[in-house]
Amino acid sequence: MQQKIIILDFGSQTTQLIGRRVRELDTFCEILPYNKFPKDDPAVIGVILSGSPYSVHDPEAFKVDLSQFVGKYPVLGICYGAQFISYANGGKVEQTGTREYGRANLRQFDKENPLFKGFEDDSQVWMSHGDTITAIPSDCHVIASTADVRFAAYASTKYPLWAVQFHPEVFHSTQGTLLLKNFVVDICKSRREWSAASFVDSTVVDLKAQLGDDRVILGLSGGVDSSVCATLLNRAIGKNLTCIFVDHGMLRKNEFKKVMAAYEGLGLNVIGVDASEKFFKDLEGVTDPEKKRKIIGRDFVEVFNAEAKKITDAKWLAQGTIYPDRIESLSITGMTIKSHHNVGGLPKEMKLQLCEPLQWLFKDEVRRVGNQLGMPERLIKRHPFPGPGLAVRILGDITREKVRILQDADDIYIENMHNYTMPDGTSLYDHVWQAGTVLLSTIRSVGVMGDERTYEHPVALRAVTSQDAMTADWAHLPYDFMAKVSNEIINKVKGVNRVCYDISSKPPSTIEWE
């Protein structure tokens, strides 16, 4: 039986990050809404309560019956989780008049407590809360303080229960991973059996049992998730998998041919469909970003369904849905962060069962599984790319000529990124979470080429660093790289006479412009 940590989500923006940190400790975890704790699950070895955007005093604050797990499993409360445990057990949580955000240091902590095993003096932690705990339950004792927060961490003398007002999951808590390791491995006794190799082995067995000799259809996008999903299914059911790769005409330069060749090299049974004429016709004159997305989504379903219907004996539709897709599409606050085309079931007209072999994986885990499956590194390390493709990187209406301009400029940018070697010997491409070029086709700028005046379009280069795309910072690209790319784009791409660089972070900006 596979052990697991349950993470109860109270709406924090960093709940996924807690999950990723636990998985990095080779331990399976499941993120569930705060009120969905699984009863009588023998696989559970510990429980973590996340932070929350609410105060425990808010009328709409999320509250849970702690008796479901306190005293039965080791429990760790983080930020709101720590405050709620105190509040629900006779402690006090108050607004002190000052919000506590940013770096702090543990001035005092109990070095004998298992949660702080191996901690250094003055260990830096990250605070992010408006309320603070001013009194802890009678059966608890303080185990860590900062200069401003007396009850930075506390523990129960009665139950295996710990609580911290800081966020160990974030990068700025320098020994946060050690704290989580102390809890997950030492306190909860994780056997650390979760790995890419174990996932591949167990999933192949499960897929063979689930699918038998049935035929499965999978829509490929050229991205990491669907490619790994296809390779995993191919290992399990071989020729019974049929993949469909739809070219809507707005992929990167020569991408359709390159990706098809890569898929054939993996031994996949792939049907390539060039439907670009239909997409360009239906997008003619459309400038609104949401309308562009909806048209492309509708046309993709129509083209895919028409091709899928030719496979009359298919019983399953496979999708490359990953864990963050499912979490974001089911926001407990009622505010969906991001909708996903591959979440939410099947179109009514498709009489197929759904197969989602990657539904428990985070993006970095998908890449590790791809490595385990022996997939080409260039395919595994591909940056995320929007489903509507370059259509949402062209401001204004879509034409073949605009797509051609953007493809040429983007190809120069991305290839130079692959070819630029960083001091550690890896490529610049591997240091960036996502990079792409935006054509500002609603704008023209004056330029001079030779002795002639030009009046052409600018392009904006975008590159961000991130861990999960929920937040992102603009990448500080080397100046010599940017100079070379700018010069090459302006000299080689007809229709562009100016190159800009986007230095916006997310939030407040999004990674894509549309």
Side-chain angles (χ1 to χ4, degrees):
M1 181 187 302
Q2 180 174 251
Q3 298 175 319
K4 63 178 159 183
I5 298 289
I6 295 296
I7 300 169
L8 293 181
D9 182 15
F10 288 82
S12 171
Q13 290 187 349
T14 60
T15 301
Q16 282 196 38
L17 197 49
I18 301 171
R20 291 182 68 244
R21 293 286 179 263
V22 173
R23 296 280 185 89
E24 288 167 3
L25 296 169
D26 302 323
T27 304
F28 183 70
C29 67
E30 188 173 351
I31 298 173
L32 296 173
Y34 69 99
N35 57 354
K36 300 293 183 183
F37 183 77
K39 295 180 180 178
D40 303 320
D41 186 343
V44 177
I45 60 170
V47 182
I48 298 176
L49 279 60
S50 82
S52 175
Y54 294 117
S55 161
V56 295
H57 300 294
D58 289 342
E60 64 271 33
F62 300 134
K63 298 179 180 178
V64 65
D65 178 5
L66 296 172
S67 66
Q68 296 176 89
F69 41 83
V70 171
K72 300 175 182 177
Y73 309 96
V75 175
L76 173 64
I78 294 175
C79 196
Y80 176 90
Q83 294 177 354
F84 180 74
I85 291 169
S86 179
Y87 170 82
N89 288 282
K92 283 187 179 180
V93 178
E94 298 178 287
Q95 291 185 343
T96 60
T98 58
R99 293 172 177 266
E100 294 159 344
Y101 292 109
R103 295 173 179 83
N105 295 88
L106 298 182
R107 300 298 186 195
Q108 298 175 338
F109 64 90
D110 182 357
K111 294 184 178 181
E112 300 302 315
N113 192 281
L115 195 67
F116 291 113
K117 178 184 175 183
F119 262 56
E120 300 170 356
D121 292 339
D122 291 327
S123 184
Q124 179 180 287
V125 297
W126 186 261
M127 295 286 186
S128 182
H129 54 91
D131 294 349
T132 195
I133 298 169
T134 56
I136 56 178
S138 59
D139 64 345
C140 293
H141 62 289
V142 63
I143 57 173
S145 303
T146 69
D148 299 315
V149 181
R150 181 185 176 192
F151 302 108
Y154 65 90
S156 171
T157 56
K158 185 178 179 181
Y159 302 117
L161 182 150
W162 291 261
V164 296
Q165 285 204 84
F166 54 88
H167 287 270
E169 71 274 20
V170 303
F171 172 78
H172 297 296
S173 289
T174 53
Q175 291 188 285
T177 298
L178 175 59
L179 185 148
L180 290 172
K181 178 179 180 290
N182 289 341
F183 178 73
V184 171
V185 179
D186 295 344
I187 294 172
C188 297
K189 306 299 182 187
S190 167
R191 294 191 296 262
R192 308 188 75 172
E193 298 171 329
W194 175 257
S195 66
S198 67
F199 174 82
V200 169
D201 291 343
S202 62
T203 303
V204 167
V205 171
D206 291 344
L207 287 171
K208 287 179 177 179
Q210 178 188 20
L211 304 173
D213 293 326
D214 294 345
R215 186 171 294 279
V216 179
I217 301 172
L218 169 67
L220 287 170
S221 67
V224 177
D225 302 338
S226 66
S227 299
V228 172
C229 182
T231 307
L232 190 61
L233 279 162
N234 187 54
R235 178 168 292 193
I237 62 173
K239 60 181 176 56
N240 284 342
L241 172 68
T242 300
C243 303
I244 301 172
F245 184 25
V246 177
D247 180 9
H248 50 40
M250 285 150 284
L251 300 172
R252 282 180 159 143
K253 186 174 183 179
N254 299 323
E255 185 171 34
F256 186 68
K257 291 180 180 178
K258 289 178 182 177
V259 173
M260 282 294 292
Y263 286 151
E264 288 169 6
L266 289 168
L268 299 179
N269 176 25
V270 185
I271 298 171
V273 183
D274 181 358
S276 57
E277 195 64 42
K278 173 180 175 58
F279 284 88
F280 278 111
K281 181 179 178 182
D282 291 349
L283 286 168
E284 190 173 343
V286 178
T287 59
D288 180 78
E290 190 61 22
K291 287 183 178 177
K292 286 194 278 189
R293 286 179 176 273
K294 287 181 177 178
I295 289 169
I296 292 170
R298 180 200 68 202
D299 284 3
F300 179 86
V301 170
E302 288 179 5
V303 173
F304 181 84
N305 286 355
E307 202 63 40
K309 285 177 181 176
K310 298 175 185 177
I311 307 169
T312 55
D313 58 343
K315 294 183 179 179
W316 296 83
L317 175 69
Q319 292 184 339
T321 313
I322 65 174
Y323 202 27
D325 297 344
R326 298 165 60 219
I327 297 168
E328 289 181 354
S329 296
L330 297 171
S331 171
I332 64 170
T333 61
M335 297 178 289
T336 300
I337 299 169
K338 182 167 61 172
S339 59
H340 296 267
H341 68 278
N342 58 347
V343 175
L346 299 168
K348 292 180 181 178
E349 64 272 17
M350 295 191 78
K351 308 297 182 184
L352 300 174
Q353 300 176 74
L354 188 60
C355 176
E356 298 174 302
L358 306 182
Q359 62 177 315
W360 293 107
L361 300 186
F362 289 99
K363 178 71 79 174
D364 51 344
E365 292 177 312
V366 174
R367 290 194 168 102
R368 287 202 292 271
V369 168
N371 273 318
Q372 185 66 32
L373 291 166
M375 295 174 63
E377 195 168 83
R378 188 124 173 182
L379 192 59
I380 296 169
K381 291 186 175 180
R382 290 193 65 191
H383 290 173
F385 188 67
L390 300 180
V392 292
R393 292 182 179 175
I394 296 173
L395 305 192
D397 65 324
I398 308 299
T399 66
R400 284 189 180 272
E401 176 60 11
K402 290 179 181 178
V403 171
R404 192 275 307 165
I405 292 172
L406 184 53
Q407 284 178 333
D408 287 348
D410 187 70
D411 186 59
I412 290 170
Y413 181 35
I414 299 301
E415 285 306 308
N416 271 282
M417 195 168 274
H418 276 296
N419 295 333
Y420 189 95
T421 303
M422 299 294 284
D424 64 358
T426 62
S427 74
L428 176 58
Y429 186 88
D430 293 337
H431 284 251
V432 172
W433 169 268
Q434 186 171 346
T437 312
V438 181
L439 177 63
L440 311 184
S441 65
T442 57
I443 302 172
R444 288 182 182 272
S445 69
V446 175
V448 177
M449 291 186 178
D451 293 325
E452 295 183 8
R453 174 184 182 274
T454 63
Y455 192 53
E456 295 178 329
H457 300 298
V459 295
L461 306 181
R462 181 74 157 138
V464 298
T465 56
S466 181
Q467 288 189 318
D468 48 26
M470 296 186 71
T471 61
D473 196 9
W474 60 278
H476 294 228
L477 302 182
Y479 284 173
D480 59 333
F481 165 81
M482 296 176 75
K484 183 177 186 298
V485 169
S486 174
N487 187 59
E488 196 170 332
I489 288 175
I490 292 171
N491 285 335
K492 293 184 178 180
V493 182
K494 185 179 179 182
V496 175
N497 68 353
R498 191 177 298 273
V499 175
C500 310
Y501 187 57
D502 183 347
I503 59 169
S504 311
S505 298
K506 176 189 178 182
S509 301
T510 54
I511 295 176
E512 298 293 345
W513 279 43
E514 289 193 343

